[in-house]
Amino acid sequence: MAKPILLYTSLCLLLVLFNGCLATQTSRQQQRFNQCQMDRLDALEPNHRIEAEAGVIESWDPNDQQFQCVGVAVVRRTIEPNGLLLPQYASAPQLIYIERGYGIFGAVLPGCPNTYQESQQQQQQREGQQRDQHQKIRNFRQGDIIALPAGVAHWLYNDGDSEVVALSLLDTNNQANQLDQNPRHFYLAGNPEDEFQLQGRSPRGQRRQQQQGQGRRERGHQQQQGQGKNLFSGFRTEDLADAFNVNENTIRNLQGFQEDRKNIVKVKGRLQVARPPRSREERERLERQEREQEREDEREPRESHRGGRDNGIEETLCTLRLRENIHDPSRADIYNPQAGRISTLNSHNLPVLRWLQLSAEFGRLQRDAIYVPHWNRNAHSVIYVVKGRAQVQVVDDFGQTVFQDELQQHQILSVPQNFAVVKRASSSEGFEWVAFKTNDNAQISPLAGQTSVLRAIPADVLANAFQLSREDVSELKSNLEQQEITIVTSSRSSSQRRAIA
Amino acid sequence: MAKPILLYTSLCLLLVLFNGCLATQTSRQQQRFNQCQMDRLDALEPNHRIEAEAGVIESWDPNDQQFQCVGVAVVRRTIEPNGLLLPQYASAPQLIYIERGYGIFGAVLPGCPNTYQESQQQQQQREGQQRDQHQKIRNFRQGDIIALPAGVAHWLYNDGDSEVVALSLLDTNNQANQLDQNPRHFYLAGNPEDEFQLQGRSPRGQRRQQQQGQGRRERGHQQQQGQGKNLFSGFRTEDLADAFNVNENTIRNLQGFQEDRKNIVKVKGRLQVARPPRSREERERLERQEREQEREDEREPRESHRGGRDNGIEETLCTLRLRENIHDPSRADIYNPQAGRISTLNSHNLPVLRWLQLSAEFGRLQRDAIYVPHWNRNAHSVIYVVKGRAQVQVVDDFGQTVFQDELQQHQILSVPQNFAVVKRASSSEGFEWVAFKTNDNAQISPLAGQTSVLRAIPADVLANAFQLSREDVSELKSNLEQQEITIVTSSRSSSQRRAIA
Amino acid sequence: MAKPILLYTSLCLLLVLFNGCLATQTSRQQQRFNQCQMDRLDALEPNHRIEAEAGVIESWDPNDQQFQCVGVAVVRRTIEPNGLLLPQYASAPQLIYIERGYGIFGAVLPGCPNTYQESQQQQQQREGQQRDQHQKIRNFRQGDIIALPAGVAHWLYNDGDSEVVALSLLDTNNQANQLDQNPRHFYLAGNPEDEFQLQGRSPRGQRRQQQQGQGRRERGHQQQQGQGKNLFSGFRTEDLADAFNVNENTIRNLQGFQEDRKNIVKVKGRLQVARPPRSREERERLERQEREQEREDEREPRESHRGGRDNGIEETLCTLRLRENIHDPSRADIYNPQAGRISTLNSHNLPVLRWLQLSAEFGRLQRDAIYVPHWNRNAHSVIYVVKGRAQVQVVDDFGQTVFQDELQQHQILSVPQNFAVVKRASSSEGFEWVAFKTNDNAQISPLAGQTSVLRAIPADVLANAFQLSREDVSELKSNLEQQEITIVTSSRSSSQRRAIA
């Protein structure tokens, strides 16, 4: 009878998601054109940058037509060693891809107990104080995908010796986001800057003035809130003092009026939190492992080792697994030493994705290897280039080429649902990417390779559809049969290709 | 094996909801701004009023930006004793909150049998007529929430001695509403006025004229339909006579052409319907109970009594429980004699809410008590003030105060998903409200109180985020630990507070 | 424990659907009016026509306000004997109704094996070639509904002696369509024309020129893609040659640059595919059956025979049943020899509809029979007239007649959710229609007939609501009780009616 109970849980989880469909918005650009009626796509780079005390935040323009079509927003945060991304939440579910580095993060699941407790030793260092308790702390490292439901507050801390680079995709078009399609971060602390320069949003000072001009009715004497930008700063200091039962000085710190460190701050000393000990050895092992993994991508793979991944049983709400490593070559779902590998993260291997209705793919192509032309059956795909370069072409329902270019490191390209796409690694180091997909079990339909849709269609249908002889079709199908699956080695090297061309 | 079957039922119910996402609309105001990009919220009062024969209908402007953002519409009906709200349905799921009075209602669930039958005695009073049969009749009383799926016809009758006040929230942005976001009532009887003055809708006469000007092609001679506004009035009298197999006089009554009693009509004598007898004693007990409940809110509570609530097994489609009392102090989920109480209605205690993707909360704050600052994780919250007044502040993702004012009886304030809100009762009688939430299991994340998110974050993260000393953080967390949950007593009374300020 | 497993499967299927809500679009017309704020509906005929080599494609204007409100697009394809509708897929789930003829179709479900294999005999006819393998081939015949999820490639072949007429409804407003509301077909072969003349879409040549004007950055020498319009044509020939590992001549055929046969092509000889033998006798039996069925509609029905339908167990993903015959009189859900019959197709009898959130109804009214006034509780209804004519009236929430006209063969009328509608067959051959509904378990609430909502309402409520005497109400309810269910015979013939009028 375990299953029905699990099911019931799943059902409950499911229900959380179905709370009406998000209100869609109409920005000025969209009035004249349909959202996914795009003549061309562009490889996009971040166009907005915030320099914080201990890191940098770069965001992609959420009003770009391709993001409006696929309904997502993307931001990349670089966190320096000992830097802390302040606690915040977003109104959209998100996936965070850890491109580099490692650290710890905390996600506050409402209603879950504070199960982590400081050691007595730590307590003794601070005499007279209570032992600190808090919710579970989780590690993250290069290659992790962290999945966060809408409205769940979280913070990230870089406890390594090198930069952490974390790319967040916010699925603003998700049903769990009941606000409009604008990406929104709600910070609990600090005096953060807006991570997206949103259109139609007048600067803060200006708006406040307008309001006062409009004569907002206020009881008692007018009290001017400070210039903080976190959640606390909007409340009246004395009201918070009452609600928290602490003095107003402490509240003013919560409100962050004097803050100028912005979204990512430097921790004094090292961050002391209660968590299971992770020895220096283990840390070194992790770093070694990551280095090896990188090297490994350029040579023949060794035997797989699994180690350290969860067993999938721990699926209640409070112990929900929120992260999974997608880099690990040993978990590749498609693997071909000559061509590369693809790992998929979906709700089958990370069940929280059922809530989020998102999934992800990490791929690596060796030089000149081809990710066969295919379409995403039931999802959009947002590609972020981790390493290297690739020649990419995208084709729409008119058979029109909407993208044909080299996709370069740190660029983003959105491939809308059902559009066809092909990638060929064009740099000597190959091509590595992570693709975020707007369905928790995204499917692809390959045109070429062993799983090609053409193989599933009778030879005589192909012969008549394409005006080919039965011999040509037979050769085509038999060539496909002998190909690899999804990622194939090119019959000619790109240098040959150039010579021929 | 009972569970799987129940589950299967739930699954089927679920499926009813997923029928594509409602088409969104763009009114003229929205073209320039994003729907939830609001500089300020306002406490709203009804701005449209209909005087009917036996009651009054007041509605809030559905085109107000806050309603456009949260995707709901609200109407309040006051039904005089012996008044009947005519049978009608809406294209959106709705929750009806009974603010005052008691009565009976009928909801017509398609495909369900007519299980209530008149007594022989009743029949004998009307010789020669058949015994009347109809679907289940349900009682309602002050404090009930009635849940109605989209498209389900229903009527309400006031069989008490005082006014019934019923507030309906229509979740127009719900997936079950496949029409646009305009709230729509379809009346089966009478000659009702439109309960919402909808924008972009020309007056009826004018439209009819336009149509004729446009030369609607009609076969046979032109027959002018009358000026009724119920569903029957739009059909041709003779066609209905055919379809119903009754004479045209009866049909003309169905069509309501001669009607002028509007949406709520006076019943001649008392309404005679088949239903289990409810004795005068019971009625008096109910009234007594309500009076006691009101008194009780101002004094120390007595021991709880449950009595009369359903056991949750009766969950098939036709016997689905459609109402639940949310006032009853004995069902409070959070209770603190000094601060107040909160009762929550969700799909766990009223399963039909799974269909509707809605839930509700009833709360009462004693004078100067505070509902701690919090955000709604996965829902909008639409607050209706039942009694008293409260100082309310709402803060958006910029840390900007979008509302800071006293919320008064019968006003409505919408708090969008993830916006932070705090309430403090400011009148001597305290503050009572009902909040409708656009998720069947809405969750809050409190900033203060024993369940504060700050307690779930490690002390050192807070110290660094807020630039507080470890001592201050330790004091903050330990104060929070000693606080009540969600509703707390203020450390100072508001009179003190004013003096200080 | 079988049930939980089935449930789990259902749950997984369900999850496929919830991938965020489709982005809605705003066309120029909609800016001023609300999408379902319609003063009148029109009976629509196709307004766009493509003449292909072996058939004709006609489409209805997807920008008509009624289609914008209900969120669907409709196209009808007439395929000549031996004609092949080229392999293609749509970004929206669809139902295909086979109005006439019979044939075979293939749907490529990604990840499913190629389970059909040519016989040795067939192989021997083509020496040296491999035995052809492909995915399951399915038959279709007059009266079938074929259900296809979004993004699933499929082809249709007419292997009969008469025309195949196939009407496709694309549910563009479905959650599974993550693109905007424009209907889109992605062809895998040929040089198809766009089946819908989409607004805001400039002709292909023009767009291409613009792009070049805008200086699309391209590496290496500029290679001009050809003028094909299938998915392959947008890719570079040499890249495809690489990806498919075949010569460029074959690729050029895939790209269809030289094609002029358009969307439906003539097969040389007869199409040879691997499939279980269907003998001439069986084919003749099918044709006979269809002819009998037609005759039968005009005379008294004989005893029912079921034969040949599936048992509902074969519900895994790859063996999912995709079609069901809805014409078969023996499967009628409502049947009345004098009035007609109605058959319903929903997720209970065709489980794939759960994915699609669509259902269908086939109905036949005898002359002067009436489909009682009713509303669709939870779905839009898109009516396509198969045969005959009917007087139809549609009434909105204002009691306003938005449609009152004769609906004729091959016209389409959309009845939005909750609008009331009545149909009366007005031609001597009766009236036959298929209605597509945007919910996998669409429900109706009849106003008249034995299941009338009026019967479910107490007599005294009706008496007071309609100002009728108890005697009149009693007569009304008792007349309803004696009526048929949903489809009733008129009390007067239409000729009588005309005379009276």
Side-chain angles (χ1 to χ4, degrees), chain B residues 41 58 65 78 83 89 186 197 208 240 245 277 297 299-300 321 328 330 368-370 381 395 405 428 432 453:
Chain B
L41 296 168
E58 295 154 295
Q65 202 190 1
T78 303
Y89 58 90
F186 296 77
Q197 275 192 311
R208 196 170 287 281
L240 290 180
N245 195 21
D297 289 335
R299 62 161 199 245
E300 295 298 310
R321 198 154 44 87
D328 186 357
S330 67
D368 280 322
I370 296 169
S381 171
V395 174
D405 206 342
S428 59
E432 273 182 25
V453 294

Side-chain angles (χ1 to χ4, degrees), chain A residues 172-190:
Chain A
T172 53
N173 206 20
N174 196 291
Q175 290 189 31
N177 176 22
Q178 298 194 7
L179 298 173
D180 57 37
Q181 214 176 317
N182 293 313
R184 285 177 168 83
H185 287 107
F186 295 78
Y187 273 83
L188 298 184

Side-chain angles (χ1 to χ4, degrees), chain B residues 6 31 56 70 83 160 179 199 250 256-257 260 263 275 306 311 334 364 400 467:
Chain B
L6 266 179
Q31 287 180 7
V56 172
V70 300
L179 298 173
Q199 224 192 18
T250 299
F257 293 154
D260 56 358
N263 313 42
R275 57 168 169 155
R306 296 192 81 87
N311 62 10
I334 294 175
R364 178 180 164 74
Q400 185 191 341
Q467 296 197 295

Side-chain angles (χ1 to χ4, degrees), chain A residues 226-417:
Chain A
Q227 294 301 315
K229 283 177 206 140
N230 73 38
L231 270 193
F232 293 105
S233 67
F235 292 110
R236 296 204 300 188
T237 308
E238 74 252 32
D239 288 342
L240 290 180
D242 261 23
F244 282 84
N245 196 19
V246 292
N247 63 60
E248 297 198 359
N249 282 335
T250 298
I251 295 299
R252 272 187 281 272
N253 277 62
L254 295 190
Q255 294 183 304
F257 294 155
Q258 311 304 325
E259 265 298 350
D260 57 358
R261 300 177 300 166
K262 296 186 184 159
N263 313 41
I264 304 170
V265 303
K266 197 151 210 83
V267 168
K268 287 176 194 148
R270 298 292 285 185
L271 195 72
Q272 305 296 321
V273 299
R275 57 168 169 155
R278 194 164 71 172
S279 62
R280 167 174 290 271
E281 286 72 35
E282 201 194 357
R283 183 165 302 159
E284 283 170 0
R285 192 184 58 76
L286 276 175
E287 288 176 36
R288 212 167 42 237
Q289 195 176 332
E290 277 158 18
R291 281 193 302 273
E292 275 172 8
Q293 188 176 310
E294 287 183 21
R295 258 179 264 136
E296 174 170 277
D297 289 335
E298 284 133 38
R299 62 162 198 248
E300 293 297 311
R302 58 193 162 79
E303 202 175 333
S304 80
H305 62 102
R306 296 192 82 86
R309 287 200 293 119
D310 307 286
N311 61 11
I313 296 181
E314 41 176 65
E315 288 177 31
T316 71
L317 275 165
C318 290
T319 60
L320 209 57
R321 198 155 45 86
L322 296 181
R323 75 180 185 93
E324 172 81 9
N325 197 284
I326 200 172
H327 272 194
D328 185 356
S330 67
R331 78 183 300 290
D333 297 306
I334 294 175
Y335 173 67
N336 173 347
Q338 275 71 46
R341 61 186 159 88
I342 287 172
S343 300
T344 315
L345 201 61
N346 56 33
S347 57
H348 295 302
N349 47 33
L350 186 58
V352 68
L353 294 179
R354 244 173 247 161
W355 289 35
L356 274 61
Q357 291 300 306
L358 291 169
S359 55
E361 164 194 283
F362 176 80
R364 179 181 164 75
L365 289 180
Q366 308 292 6
R367 181 176 189 166
D368 280 322
I370 296 170
Y371 193 142
V372 295
H374 66 277
W375 71 89
N376 292 281
R377 196 187 70 72
N378 56 0
H380 300 303
S381 171
V382 180
I383 301 167
Y384 173 72
V385 183
V386 176
K387 211 161 71 181
R389 297 189 306 279
Q391 279 291 340
V392 175
Q393 292 170 65
V394 181
V395 175
D396 75 2
D397 55 318
F398 271 72
Q400 187 191 340
T401 320
V402 290
F403 184 85
Q404 174 176 323
D405 206 342
E406 193 172 58
L407 198 57
Q408 300 185 321
Q409 198 182 20
H410 296 166
Q411 288 183 332
I412 284 186
L413 180 69
S414 305
V415 181
Q417 182 192 17

Side-chain angles (χ1 to χ4, degrees), chain A residues 121-172:
Chain A
Q121 197 187 0
Q122 285 174 310
Q123 185 195 1
Q124 284 160 0
Q125 292 170 4
R126 291 184 298 277
E127 278 170 52
Q129 292 177 21
Q130 271 195 309
R131 269 210 227 181
D132 190 38
Q133 277 190 322
H134 49 76
Q135 282 194 13
K136 189 173 176 178
I137 301 292
R138 298 154 205 259
N139 297 320
F140 66 80
R141 64 179 175 98
Q142 184 177 16
D144 276 353
I145 296 276
I146 300 173
L148 289 169
V152 166
H154 56 279
W155 51 269
L156 266 77
Y157 172 64
N158 180 350
D159 75 345
D161 303 320
S162 58
E163 279 181 346
V164 163
V165 178
L167 186 90
S168 297
L169 175 121
L170 283 79
D171 186 17
T172 53

